[in-house]
């Protein structure tokens, strides 16, 4: 039971009441939350769309890295996820 709880904590999902949507075709995406919206750049939207409760941080990074050529991207994704958690956008369940 302890192993299950530990593995569950490592999965990341959007916090309740939050979702990512595209404002209109060709526009940037936004994070919709109870007190309004936050405009997202393409990278932020890509990361948050992967936060569906089925992936760990490492799995999110592994999914994103092959699509980009920046070797520092793994650290940037970790930092973004930390900031998103502090802002209440995501939770680790």
């Amino acid at each position: 039971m302890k192993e299950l709880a530990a593995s569950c904590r490592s999965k990341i999902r959007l916090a309740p009441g939050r979702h990512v949507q595209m404002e209109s075709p060709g526009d940037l995406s936004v994070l919709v939350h109870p007190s309004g919206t936050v405009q997202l750049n393409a990278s932020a939207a890509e990361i948050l769309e992967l936060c569906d409760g089925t992936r760990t941080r490492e799995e999110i990074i592994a999914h994103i890295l092959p699509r980009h050529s920046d070797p520092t991207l793994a650290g940037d994704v970790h930092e973004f996820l930390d900031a998103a958690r502090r802002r209440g956008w995501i939770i680790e369940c």
Side-chain angles (χ1 to χ4, degrees), residues 2-37:
K2 194 174 191 178
E3 282 181 35
L4 179 60
S7 92
C8 180
R9 270 188 241 121
S10 65
K11 304 292 182 178
I12 299 175
R13 67 178 177 88
L14 291 176
R18 283 131 182 98
H19 65 277
V20 176
Q21 74 179 35
M22 187 172 280
E23 282 292 284
S24 62
D27 281 346
L28 294 177
S29 297
V30 294
L31 174 69
V32 179
H33 55 90
S35 58
T37 61

Side-chain angles (χ1 to χ4, degrees), residues 10-13 49-56 59-60 93:
S10 65
K11 304 292 182 178
I12 299 175
R13 67 178 177 88
E49 287 171 353
L50 295 172
C51 296
D52 60 3
T54 65
R55 296 175 181 91
T56 64
E59 291 167 332
I60 290 170
C93 55

Side-chain angles (χ1 to χ4, degrees), residues 63-80:
H63 185 83
I64 290 173
L65 285 181
R67 298 175 175 192
H68 303 276
S69 60
D70 184 354
T72 65
L73 189 60
D76 293 344
V77 174
H78 270 289
E79 288 177 24
F80 175 80

